[in-house]
């Protein structure tokens, strides 16, 4: 637990001292939302079918961008070997980095939500239902994104490779379920109306976590 | 050999068709300062990575403190230190934060106090709260040495330790290595600098073409130096 906490604290410290990277994630979120606002300039409160795709595309792409540096930085700064030589389980590295990535992505999500409701005239839906779906959807894509980021870290174009690897998998699992549930919520539904979706998102999250936890030994030693 | 801190038998390591290590045998005893020399491409860095457990050998065996790494990887890693070409430091963190972080990874009871001690030892206490990306190459290497010795390891691997070090930093390195080896800690270093290396070594070897060519004890450096020059002059 000590090593996980140390890696978590180190990741956040490094991330927040790299202000350029934090600004770039926020900037991407703002740019995506602005593009949609211009594309759907006549959008009204009743166009709820557009709310979920706009929200998730923004979260998904800015979130994925924030996942790239986590492992890539260790390769670029040549600190990966220092971590691997330390007497800690590779799972601690995975958990520490994952927890830090979740803090960053959830932070991004809060900003994105504020901007989203500022940019678009949608009424605020059931808060509990939206919160549950956002948390489960984010857990799912951050866990899988974190695994793929570790795999892509040794490649020159790690950011592009992460997108190439992550989008096909996440689109048809986490994103599809999250968008479907969020659409229902923006149409006035509550948590009970998205029962199957949140259960499916929970399963994806658990499966991705188990895969990452088991495979991280092989991924880091590759 | 009984009581050895490191014993390698018939190590073989290839990258594709390129066989880099072709059956290396090596034994290091407590308190020894073993320096390995050899031409570029002889396999020295590969050997350090295999011996320290970063890479697996294709065949052969490495025993650290009498045990293979797989038996107790974390226990063995806690007893070894590595100073490589790269000091394994985070540029965004301060010198103190870097050492504290590694202290936490190595499970030290009071990482902050230990980090302060080590910063004083390597002469960087005045820069403790400066970010490492503002340090010179030599300062980073000194801090890297502090990181490698932070947890008081029983066996330390030094891969080209003099690279980028000024005279003051080299003196610090040599002082710390001598002090630690008098306490029974063992050192395995690879370097191109024959003069500096032999001054520090209690035993030395030459690796050439992926094989151990020669080994000598302190006091027999004349023959060793001649052989080294032959190997270097003749290439591989």
């Amino acid at each position: 637990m000590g090593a996980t906490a140390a890696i978590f604290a180190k990741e956040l410290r490094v991330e927040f001292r790299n202000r350029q990277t934090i600004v770039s994630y926020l900037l991407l979120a703002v740019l995506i939302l602005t593009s949609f606002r211009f594309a759907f300039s006549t959008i009204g409160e009743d166009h709820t079918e557009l709310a979920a795709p706009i929200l998730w595309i923004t979260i998904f792409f800015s979130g994925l961008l924030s996942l790239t540096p986590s492992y890539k930085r260790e390769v670029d700064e040549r600190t990966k070997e220092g971590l691997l030589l330390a007497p800690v389980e590779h799972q601690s590295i995975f958990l520490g980095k994952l927890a830090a990535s979740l803090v960053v992505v959830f932070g991004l999500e809060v900003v994105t939500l504020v901007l989203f409701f500022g940019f678009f005239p949608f009424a605020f839906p059931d808060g509990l239902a939206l919160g549950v779906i956002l948390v489960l959807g984010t857990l799912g894509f951050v866990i899988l994104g974190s695994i793929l980021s570790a795999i892509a870290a040794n490649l020159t174009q790690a950011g592009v490779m992460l997108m190439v690897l992550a989008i096909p998998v996440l689109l048809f699992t986490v994103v599809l379920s999250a968008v479907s549930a969020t659409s229902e919520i923006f149409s006035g539904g509550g948590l009970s109306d998205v029962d199957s979706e949140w259960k499916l998102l929970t399963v994806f999250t658990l499966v991705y976590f188990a895969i990452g936890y088991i495979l991280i030994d092989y991924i880091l030693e590759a | 050999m009984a009581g050895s801190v490191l014993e390698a038998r018939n190590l073989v390591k290839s990258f594709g068709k390129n066989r880099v290590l072709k059956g290396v045998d090596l034994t290091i005893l407590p308190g020894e300062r073993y320096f390995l020399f050899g031409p570029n491409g002889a396999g020295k860095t590969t050997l350090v990575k295999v011996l320290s457990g970063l890479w697996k050998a294709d065949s052969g065996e490495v025993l650290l403190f009498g045990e293979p790494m797989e038996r107790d990887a974390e226990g063995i890693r806690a007893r070894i230190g590595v100073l490589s070409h790269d000091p394994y430091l985070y540029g965004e963190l301060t010198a103190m934060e870097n050492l504290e972080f590694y202290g936490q990874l190595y499970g030290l009871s009071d990482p902050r106090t230990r980090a302060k001690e080590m910063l004083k030892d390597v002469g960087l206490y005045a820069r403790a709260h400066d970010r490492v990306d503002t340090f010179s190459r030599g300062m980073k290497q000194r801090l890297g040495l502090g990181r490698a010795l932070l947890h008081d390891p029983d066996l330390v691997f030094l891969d080209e330790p003099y690279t980028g070090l000024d005279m003051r930093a080299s003196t610090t390195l040599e002082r710390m290595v001598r002090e630690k080896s008098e306490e029974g800690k063992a050192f395995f270093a690879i370097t191109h600098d024959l003069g500096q290396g032999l001054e520090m070594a209690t035993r030395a070897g030459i690796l050439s073409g992926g094989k151990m060519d020669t080994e000598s004890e302190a006091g027999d450096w004349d023959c060793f130096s001649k052989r080294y020059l032959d190997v270097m002059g003749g290439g591989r």
Side-chain angles (χ1 to χ4, degrees), chain A residues 2-7 10-11 13-14 17-18 73-74 77-90 221, chain B residues 49 52-56 74-75 77-78 80 82 84 86 88-94 97 101-102 104-106 131 147:
Chain A
T4 304
I7 291 164
K10 184 272 291 178
E11 284 290 303
R13 205 169 263 165
V14 169
R17 284 190 188 161
N18 262 310
R73 201 159 32 213
E74 304 283 359
E77 290 201 23
R78 300 177 181 277
T79 47
K80 184 181 167 186
E81 287 185 357
L83 279 183
L84 297 182
L85 284 164
V88 297
E89 289 182 345
H90 295 160
E221 283 175 12
Chain B
K49 289 189 191 277
S52 62
L54 268 175
W55 291 348
K56 286 191 173 71
E74 284 168 47
R77 281 196 211 117
I80 64 174
V82 178
S84 166
D86 307 308
Y88 306 148
L89 300 168
Y90 295 89
E92 297 87 349
L93 303 186
T94 66
E97 287 168 345
F101 169 63
Y102 279 104
Q104 288 164 341
L105 291 190
Y106 280 86
R131 276 172 63 145
R147 179 202 52 73

Coordinates of all heavy atoms in Angstrom, one line a residue, chain A residues 2-7 10-11 13-14 17-18 73-74 77-90 221, chain B residues 49 52-56 74-75 77-78 80 82 84 86 88-94 97 101-102 104-106 131 147:
Chain A
G2 N 2.0 1.2 0.7 CA 2.9 2.4 0.8 C 3.4 2.7 -0.6 O 3.5 3.9 -0.9
A3 N 3.8 1.7 -1.3 CA 4.4 2.0 -2.7 C 3.3 2.5 -3.6 O 3.6 3.5 -4.4 CB 5.0 0.7 -3.2
T4 N 2.1 2.0 -3.5 CA 1.0 2.5 -4.3 C 0.7 4.0 -4.0 O 0.6 4.8 -4.9 CB -0.3 1.7 -4.1 OG1 0.0 0.3 -4.3 CG2 -1.4 2.1 -5.0
A5 N 0.7 4.3 -2.7 CA 0.5 5.7 -2.3 C 1.6 6.6 -2.8 O 1.4 7.7 -3.2 CB 0.3 5.8 -0.8
A6 N 2.8 6.1 -2.7 CA 4.0 6.9 -3.1 C 3.9 7.2 -4.6 O 4.2 8.3 -5.0 CB 5.3 6.2 -2.8
I7 N 3.6 6.2 -5.4 CA 3.5 6.3 -6.8 C 2.3 7.3 -7.2 O 2.5 8.1 -8.1 CB 3.4 5.0 -7.5 CG1 4.7 4.2 -7.4 CG2 3.0 5.1 -9.0 CD1 4.6 2.7 -7.7
K10 N 3.5 10.8 -6.4 CA 4.5 11.2 -7.3 C 3.8 11.6 -8.7 O 4.2 12.6 -9.3 CB 5.5 10.1 -7.5 CG 6.7 10.4 -8.4 CD 6.5 10.1 -9.8 CE 6.4 8.6 -10.1 NZ 6.1 8.4 -11.6
E11 N 2.9 10.7 -9.1 CA 2.3 10.9 -10.4 C 1.5 12.3 -10.4 O 1.7 13.1 -11.4 CB 1.2 9.8 -10.7 CG 1.8 8.5 -11.1 CD 2.4 8.6 -12.5 OE1 1.7 8.9 -13.5 OE2 3.6 8.3 -12.6
R13 N 2.0 14.9 -8.5 CA 3.0 16.0 -8.4 C 3.6 16.3 -9.7 O 3.7 17.5 -10.2 CB 4.1 15.6 -7.4 CG 4.7 16.7 -6.7 CD 5.6 16.2 -5.6 NE 5.0 16.3 -4.3 CZ 5.4 15.7 -3.2 NH1 6.4 14.9 -3.3 NH2 4.8 15.9 -2.1
V14 N 4.0 15.2 -10.4 CA 4.7 15.4 -11.7 C 3.6 16.0 -12.7 O 3.9 16.9 -13.5 CB 5.2 14.1 -12.3 CG1 5.6 14.2 -13.7 CG2 6.4 13.7 -11.4
R17 N 2.8 19.7 -12.0 CA 4.0 20.6 -12.3 C 4.2 20.8 -13.8 O 4.9 21.7 -14.2 CB 5.2 20.1 -11.6 CG 5.1 20.3 -10.2 CD 6.4 20.1 -9.4 NE 6.1 20.2 -8.0 CZ 6.9 19.7 -7.1 NH1 8.0 19.1 -7.4 NH2 6.6 19.8 -5.8
N18 N 3.6 19.8 -14.6 CA 3.7 20.0 -16.0 C 2.4 20.7 -16.5 O 1.5 20.1 -17.0 CB 3.6 18.6 -16.7 CG 5.0 18.1 -17.1 OD1 5.7 18.9 -17.7 ND2 5.4 16.9 -16.7
R73 N 6.0 8.9 -20.0 CA 6.9 9.8 -19.3 C 8.0 9.0 -18.7 O 9.2 9.4 -18.7 CB 6.2 10.6 -18.3 CG 6.9 11.9 -17.9 CD 5.9 12.9 -17.2 NE 4.8 12.3 -16.5 CZ 3.6 12.9 -16.5 NH1 3.4 14.0 -17.1 NH2 2.6 12.3 -15.8
E74 N 7.7 7.8 -18.1 CA 8.7 7.0 -17.5 C 9.7 6.5 -18.5 O 10.9 6.3 -18.2 CB 8.1 5.7 -16.8 CG 7.0 6.1 -15.8 CD 7.5 6.5 -14.5 OE1 8.7 6.6 -14.3 OE2 6.7 6.8 -13.6
E77 N 11.7 9.8 -19.8 CA 12.7 10.4 -18.8 C 13.6 9.3 -18.3 O 14.4 9.5 -17.4 CB 11.9 11.0 -17.6 CG 11.2 12.2 -17.9 CD 10.8 13.1 -16.7 OE1 11.5 12.9 -15.7 OE2 9.9 13.9 -16.8
R78 N 13.5 8.1 -18.8 CA 14.3 6.9 -18.5 C 14.3 6.6 -17.0 O 15.3 6.3 -16.3 CB 15.8 7.2 -18.9 CG 15.9 7.4 -20.4 CD 17.3 7.7 -20.8 NE 17.4 7.9 -22.3 CZ 17.5 7.0 -23.2 NH1 17.5 5.7 -22.8 NH2 17.5 7.3 -24.5
T79 N 13.1 6.7 -16.4 CA 12.9 6.3 -15.0 C 12.2 5.0 -14.8 O 12.1 4.5 -13.7 CB 12.0 7.4 -14.3 OG1 10.9 7.7 -15.1 CG2 12.8 8.7 -14.1
K80 N 11.8 4.4 -16.0 CA 11.0 3.1 -15.9 C 11.9 2.1 -15.2 O 11.4 1.3 -14.4 CB 10.6 2.7 -17.3 CG 9.8 1.4 -17.3 CD 9.4 1.0 -18.7 CE 8.9 -0.4 -18.7 NZ 8.6 -0.9 -20.1
E81 N 13.2 2.0 -15.5 CA 14.0 1.0 -15.0 C 14.2 1.2 -13.4 O 14.2 0.2 -12.7 CB 15.4 1.0 -15.6 CG 15.3 0.4 -17.0 CD 16.7 0.3 -17.7 OE1 17.7 0.7 -17.1 OE2 16.8 -0.2 -18.8
G82 N 14.2 2.5 -13.0 CA 14.3 2.8 -11.6 C 13.1 2.2 -10.9 O 13.2 1.6 -9.8
L83 N 11.9 2.3 -11.5 CA 10.7 1.7 -10.9 C 10.7 0.2 -10.8 O 10.4 -0.4 -9.9 CB 9.4 2.1 -11.7 CG 8.8 3.5 -11.5 CD1 7.6 3.7 -12.3 CD2 8.5 3.7 -10.0
L84 N 11.2 -0.4 -12.0 CA 11.2 -1.9 -12.1 C 12.3 -2.5 -11.1 O 12.1 -3.6 -10.7 CB 11.5 -2.3 -13.5 CG 10.4 -1.9 -14.5 CD1 10.8 -2.4 -15.9 CD2 9.0 -2.4 -14.1
L85 N 13.3 -1.7 -10.8 CA 14.4 -2.2 -9.9 C 13.9 -2.1 -8.5 O 14.5 -2.8 -7.6 CB 15.7 -1.4 -10.1 CG 16.5 -1.8 -11.4 CD1 17.5 -0.7 -11.7 CD2 17.1 -3.1 -11.2
A86 N 12.9 -1.3 -8.2 CA 12.5 -1.1 -6.8 C 11.8 -2.4 -6.3 O 11.1 -3.1 -7.1 CB 11.6 0.1 -6.7
P87 N 11.8 -2.6 -5.0 CA 11.2 -3.9 -4.5 C 9.7 -3.7 -4.3 O 9.2 -3.8 -3.2 CB 11.9 -4.1 -3.1 CG 12.3 -2.7 -2.7 CD 12.6 -1.9 -3.9
V88 N 9.0 -3.4 -5.4 CA 7.5 -3.2 -5.3 C 6.9 -4.1 -6.4 O 7.5 -4.3 -7.4 CB 7.1 -1.8 -5.5 CG1 7.6 -0.9 -4.5 CG2 7.5 -1.2 -6.9
E89 N 5.7 -4.6 -6.1 CA 5.0 -5.4 -7.1 C 4.6 -4.5 -8.2 O 4.3 -3.3 -8.0 CB 3.7 -6.0 -6.5 CG 4.0 -7.1 -5.5 CD 2.8 -7.7 -4.9 OE1 1.7 -7.1 -5.0 OE2 2.9 -8.7 -4.3
H90 N 4.6 -5.0 -9.4 CA 4.2 -4.2 -10.6 C 2.7 -3.7 -10.5 O 2.3 -2.7 -11.0 CB 4.4 -5.0 -11.9 CG 5.8 -5.3 -12.2 ND1 6.2 -6.3 -13.0 CD2 7.0 -4.7 -11.7 CE1 7.6 -6.3 -13.0 NE2 8.0 -5.4 -12.2
E221 N 7.4 -5.6 -18.3 CA 8.7 -6.2 -18.5 C 9.0 -6.4 -20.0 O 10.1 -6.8 -20.4 CB 8.7 -7.6 -17.8 CG 9.0 -7.5 -16.3 CD 8.9 -8.8 -15.6 OE1 8.9 -9.8 -16.2 OE2 8.9 -8.7 -14.3
Chain B
K49 N 22.4 -5.5 -16.8 CA 20.9 -5.6 -16.8 C 20.4 -7.0 -16.5 O 19.4 -7.2 -15.8 CB 20.3 -5.1 -18.1 CG 20.5 -3.6 -18.3 CD 19.7 -3.1 -19.5 CE 20.1 -1.6 -19.9 NZ 19.4 -0.6 -19.1
S52 N 21.3 -7.6 -12.6 CA 20.4 -6.9 -11.7 C 19.0 -7.3 -11.8 O 18.1 -6.7 -11.0 CB 20.6 -5.3 -11.9 OG 20.1 -5.0 -13.3
G53 N 18.7 -8.2 -12.7 CA 17.3 -8.7 -12.8 C 16.4 -7.9 -13.7 O 15.2 -8.2 -13.8
L54 N 16.9 -6.9 -14.4 CA 16.1 -6.1 -15.3 C 15.7 -6.9 -16.5 O 14.6 -6.8 -17.0 CB 16.8 -4.8 -15.7 CG 16.5 -3.6 -14.9 CD1 17.4 -2.5 -15.4 CD2 15.1 -3.2 -14.9
W55 N 16.7 -7.7 -17.0 CA 16.4 -8.5 -18.2 C 16.7 -10.0 -17.8 O 17.5 -10.3 -16.9 CB 17.4 -8.2 -19.3 CG 17.2 -6.9 -20.0 CD1 16.1 -6.1 -19.8 CD2 18.0 -6.2 -20.9 NE1 16.2 -4.9 -20.5 CE2 17.4 -5.0 -21.2 CE3 19.3 -6.5 -21.4 CZ2 17.9 -4.0 -22.1 CZ3 19.8 -5.5 -22.3 CH2 19.2 -4.3 -22.6
K56 N 16.0 -10.9 -18.4 CA 16.2 -12.3 -18.2 C 17.2 -12.9 -19.2 O 17.1 -12.5 -20.3 CB 14.8 -13.1 -18.3 CG 13.9 -12.8 -17.1 CD 12.7 -13.8 -17.2 CE 11.9 -13.6 -15.9 NZ 11.1 -12.4 -15.8
E74 N 11.3 -9.4 -4.7 CA 11.2 -8.1 -3.9 C 12.3 -8.1 -2.8 O 12.9 -7.0 -2.6 CB 9.8 -7.9 -3.3 CG 8.8 -7.5 -4.4 CD 7.4 -7.6 -3.9 OE1 7.1 -7.1 -2.8 OE2 6.6 -8.1 -4.6
G75 N 12.5 -9.2 -2.2 CA 13.5 -9.3 -1.1 C 14.9 -9.0 -1.7 O 15.7 -8.3 -1.1
R77 N 15.6 -7.4 -4.6 CA 15.7 -6.1 -5.1 C 16.0 -5.1 -4.0 O 16.6 -4.0 -4.2 CB 14.4 -5.7 -5.9 CG 14.3 -6.3 -7.3 CD 13.3 -5.5 -8.1 NE 12.7 -6.4 -9.0 CZ 11.4 -6.8 -9.1 NH1 10.6 -6.3 -8.2 NH2 11.0 -7.6 -10.0
A78 N 15.4 -5.3 -2.8 CA 15.6 -4.4 -1.7 C 17.1 -4.4 -1.2 O 17.5 -3.5 -0.6 CB 14.7 -4.9 -0.5
I80 N 19.7 -4.7 -3.5 CA 20.6 -4.2 -4.6 C 20.4 -2.8 -5.0 O 19.2 -2.3 -4.8 CB 20.6 -5.1 -5.8 CG1 19.2 -5.1 -6.5 CG2 21.0 -6.6 -5.5 CD1 19.2 -5.8 -7.9
V82 N 21.4 0.2 -8.1 CA 21.9 0.3 -9.5 C 22.1 1.8 -9.8 O 21.1 2.6 -9.7 CB 20.9 -0.3 -10.5 CG1 21.5 -0.1 -11.9 CG2 20.7 -1.8 -10.2
S84 N 23.0 3.7 -13.2 CA 23.2 3.5 -14.6 C 23.7 4.8 -15.3 O 24.0 5.7 -14.6 CB 21.8 3.0 -15.1 OG 21.8 3.1 -16.5
D86 N 21.7 6.5 -16.9 CA 20.6 7.3 -16.5 C 20.4 7.2 -15.0 O 20.3 6.2 -14.4 CB 19.3 6.8 -17.2 CG 19.5 6.6 -18.7 OD1 19.9 7.6 -19.3 OD2 19.2 5.5 -19.2
Y88 N 17.8 7.8 -13.2 CA 16.4 7.4 -12.8 C 15.8 8.5 -11.9 O 15.3 8.1 -10.8 CB 16.4 6.0 -12.1 CG 17.0 4.9 -12.8 CD1 17.7 3.9 -12.1 CD2 17.0 4.8 -14.2 CE1 18.3 2.8 -12.8 CE2 17.6 3.7 -14.8 CZ 18.2 2.7 -14.1 OH 18.8 1.7 -14.8
L89 N 15.9 9.7 -12.3 CA 15.4 10.8 -11.5 C 14.3 11.5 -12.3 O 14.3 11.6 -13.5 CB 16.5 11.8 -11.2 CG 17.6 11.2 -10.4 CD1 18.8 12.2 -10.3 CD2 17.2 10.9 -8.9
Y90 N 13.3 12.1 -11.5 CA 12.2 12.8 -12.1 C 12.6 14.3 -12.2 O 12.7 14.9 -11.1 CB 10.9 12.6 -11.4 CG 10.5 11.1 -11.4 CD1 10.9 10.2 -10.5 CD2 9.7 10.7 -12.5 CE1 10.6 8.9 -10.6 CE2 9.3 9.4 -12.6 CZ 9.7 8.5 -11.7 OH 9.4 7.2 -11.8
G91 N 12.6 14.9 -13.4 CA 13.0 16.3 -13.5 C 12.1 17.2 -12.9 O 12.5 18.3 -12.4
E92 N 10.8 16.9 -12.8 CA 9.8 17.8 -12.3 C 9.8 17.8 -10.7 O 9.2 18.7 -10.1 CB 8.4 17.4 -12.7 CG 8.1 17.4 -14.2 CD 8.5 16.1 -14.9 OE1 9.2 15.3 -14.2 OE2 8.2 16.0 -16.1
L93 N 10.5 16.8 -10.1 CA 10.5 16.8 -8.7 C 11.8 17.4 -8.2 O 12.8 17.4 -8.9 CB 10.4 15.3 -8.2 CG 9.2 14.5 -8.6 CD1 9.2 13.1 -7.9 CD2 7.9 15.2 -8.3
T94 N 11.9 17.8 -6.9 CA 13.1 18.3 -6.4 C 14.0 17.2 -6.0 O 13.6 16.0 -6.0 CB 12.8 19.2 -5.1 OG1 12.3 18.3 -4.1 CG2 11.8 20.3 -5.4
E97 N 12.5 15.4 -3.0 CA 11.3 14.7 -3.4 C 11.7 13.4 -4.1 O 11.0 12.3 -3.8 CB 10.3 15.5 -4.2 CG 9.6 16.6 -3.5 CD 8.9 17.6 -4.4 OE1 9.2 17.6 -5.6 OE2 8.1 18.4 -3.9
F101 N 10.8 9.8 -2.5 CA 10.0 8.9 -3.3 C 10.6 7.5 -3.4 O 9.9 6.5 -3.0 CB 9.7 9.4 -4.7 CG 9.1 8.5 -5.7 CD1 7.9 8.0 -5.5 CD2 9.8 8.0 -6.8 CE1 7.3 7.1 -6.3 CE2 9.3 7.1 -7.7 CZ 8.0 6.6 -7.4
Y102 N 11.9 7.5 -3.7 CA 12.6 6.2 -3.8 C 12.7 5.5 -2.4 O 12.6 4.3 -2.2 CB 13.9 6.3 -4.4 CG 13.8 6.3 -5.9 CD1 14.0 7.5 -6.6 CD2 13.5 5.2 -6.7 CE1 13.8 7.5 -8.0 CE2 13.4 5.2 -8.0 CZ 13.6 6.4 -8.7 OH 13.4 6.4 -10.1
Q104 N 10.4 5.7 -0.1 CA 9.1 5.1 0.2 C 9.0 3.8 -0.6 O 8.5 2.8 -0.1 CB 8.0 6.1 -0.2 CG 7.8 7.2 0.7 CD 7.0 8.4 0.1 OE1 6.8 8.5 -1.1 NE2 6.5 9.2 1.0
L105 N 9.5 3.8 -1.8 CA 9.4 2.6 -2.6 C 10.2 1.4 -2.0 O 9.9 0.3 -2.0 CB 9.9 2.8 -4.1 CG 9.1 3.6 -5.0 CD1 9.7 3.5 -6.4 CD2 7.7 3.3 -5.0
Y106 N 11.4 1.8 -1.4 CA 12.2 0.8 -0.7 C 11.8 0.5 0.7 O 12.5 -0.2 1.4 CB 13.7 1.2 -0.8 CG 14.3 0.9 -2.2 CD1 14.2 1.9 -3.2 CD2 14.9 -0.3 -2.5 CE1 14.7 1.6 -4.5 CE2 15.4 -0.5 -3.7 CZ 15.3 0.4 -4.7 OH 15.8 0.1 -6.0
R131 N 14.4 21.8 -8.3 CA 13.9 20.8 -9.3 C 15.1 20.2 -10.0 O 16.1 20.9 -10.3 CB 13.0 21.4 -10.3 CG 11.5 21.5 -9.8 CD 10.7 22.2 -10.8 NE 10.6 21.6 -12.1 CZ 9.5 21.6 -12.9 NH1 8.4 22.1 -12.4 NH2 9.5 21.0 -14.1
R147 N 20.6 8.1 -4.8 CA 19.4 7.2 -4.9 C 19.8 5.8 -4.9 O 19.1 4.9 -4.3 CB 18.7 7.5 -6.3 CG 17.5 6.7 -6.6 CD 17.1 6.7 -8.1 NE 18.3 6.3 -8.9 CZ 18.8 5.1 -9.0 NH1 18.2 4.1 -8.3 NH2 19.8 4.8 -9.8

